[in-house]
Amino acid sequence: MSKQELVVLGQTDETGACCPGLLTAPLDEGQAVELAKVFKALGDPVRLRLLSIIASRAGGEVCVCDLTPAFDLSQPTISHHLKLLRQAGLIDCERRGTWVYYWLLPEMTDRLAGILTRPAGEPLPAPAEVTA
Amino acid sequence: MSKQELVVLGQTDETGACCPGLLTAPLDEGQAVELAKVFKALGDPVRLRLLSIIASRAGGEVCVCDLTPAFDLSQPTISHHLKLLRQAGLIDCERRGTWVYYWLLPEMTDRLAGILTRPAGEPLPAPAEVTA
């Protein structure tokens, strides 16, 4: 994933500090299209399980040969789901000999967490307050 | 949204503290199915823009009559997208006279942010370290 693609997700601060964009200001169309691709990649139970297995692996990476036994799905199907996670910038991989190894790209999950985090000191009204 | 549905997203602490589930341990199938529904609702540019307009509104709620002019879409299409956001537990609404008013349910975005946040003191390996 290029730096340009990452920037469009509301991150313009080169210090790495996150600039929440979803809850603080209306997204423009371009931002929404880019961000929707990432959420769409997360919008599938198999991909979420794959991501959680990869992200929680102590050694930081997982062989595809250790991923397929966790699912009642064919190897090509698992590979397709992994490809979508990779295209969304959530994971990356490297082939070594027979097998492909996958790892989390924490920059993207950090960015999504930042986008979904309410700005400090600006609590949103609770529904009860809104409807009172 | 029932309390039971919220609990399945990895939140079992009644104090409201968040228990990240996506990056720390493999999700089970039931958790993944519930969580995927919410991410799928976010996986569309129109729904993301609607959510950002609703979430960033200073007064805390938005009349549907103020949402439709921002899009080149019919009122029924906008209402359909709003329904999907509501079914995912991201927003709620109330009819008052002619119009329906929408507001963010920050509990759900807080929960997603928590699920996507890395546990403190446990940095994940950077790709460079993984492949070294």
Side-chain angles (χ1 to χ4, degrees):
Chain A
M1 164 159 282
S2 73
K3 183 160 185 177
Q4 193 174 10
E5 282 178 277
L6 292 170
V7 167
V8 87
L9 296 178
Q11 176 96 4
T12 53
D13 183 347
E14 292 195 358
T15 65
C18 194
C19 316
L22 186 58
L23 307 181
T24 52
L27 291 175
D28 68 33
E29 275 191 62
Q31 291 171 323
V33 166
E34 289 303 316
L35 192 51
K37 285 180 193 166
V38 187
F39 283 124
K40 196 171 179 180
L42 293 173
D44 177 275
V46 172
R47 290 197 290 277
L48 277 180
R49 288 178 63 207
L50 283 166
L51 187 68
S52 73
I53 293 170
I54 294 167
S56 62
R57 182 59 66 98
E61 63 174 20
V62 186
C63 173
V64 69
C65 58
D66 291 328
L67 289 170
T68 41
F71 298 87
D72 190 20
L73 295 167
S74 69
Q75 169 72 52
T77 300
I78 295 292
S79 291
H80 174 70
H81 283 300
L82 289 166
K83 184 181 169 189
L84 294 179
L85 288 172
R86 198 159 58 83
Q87 287 176 337
L90 288 156
I91 60 173
D92 205 353
C93 68
E94 184 180 67
R95 176 177 288 278
R96 290 183 218 137
T98 307
W99 301 112
V100 181
Y101 293 80
Y102 291 87
W103 59 87
L104 182 74
L105 292 178
E107 297 84 356
M108 183 57 87
T109 48
D110 285 356
R111 198 143 306 175
L112 295 180
I115 282 168
L116 289 161
T117 298
R118 283 184 273 170
E122 291 183 39
L124 293 166
E129 294 173 280
V130 173
T131 58
Chain B
M1 163 159 284
S2 73
K3 182 159 185 179
Q4 193 174 9
E5 281 177 276
L6 292 170
V7 167
V8 88
L9 296 178
Q11 176 96 5
T12 53
D13 183 347
E14 293 196 358
T15 65
C18 194
C19 317
L22 186 58
L23 307 182
T24 52
L27 290 176
D28 68 33
E29 274 191 63
Q31 291 172 322
V33 166
E34 289 302 316
L35 192 52
K37 284 180 193 167
V38 187
F39 283 124
K40 195 171 179 181
L42 293 173
D44 178 274
V46 172
R47 290 197 290 278
L48 277 180
R49 288 178 63 206
L50 283 166
L51 187 69
S52 73
I53 293 170
I54 294 167
S56 63
R57 181 60 65 98
E61 63 174 23
V62 186
C63 173
V64 69
C65 57
D66 290 328
L67 289 170
T68 41
F71 298 87
D72 191 20
L73 296 167
S74 70
Q75 169 72 51
T77 300
I78 295 292
S79 292
H80 174 69
H81 284 300
L82 289 166
K83 184 181 169 189
L84 294 179
L85 288 172
R86 197 159 58 84
Q87 287 175 339
L90 287 157
I91 60 172
D92 205 352
C93 68
E94 185 180 68
R95 176 176 288 279
R96 290 183 218 138
T98 307
W99 301 112
V100 181
Y101 293 79
Y102 291 87
W103 59 88
L104 181 74
L105 292 179
E107 297 84 356
M108 184 57 87
T109 47
D110 286 355
R111 198 143 307 172
L112 295 180
I115 281 167
L116 290 161
T117 298
R118 283 183 273 169
E122 290 181 41
L124 294 166
E129 295 173 279
V130 172
T131 57

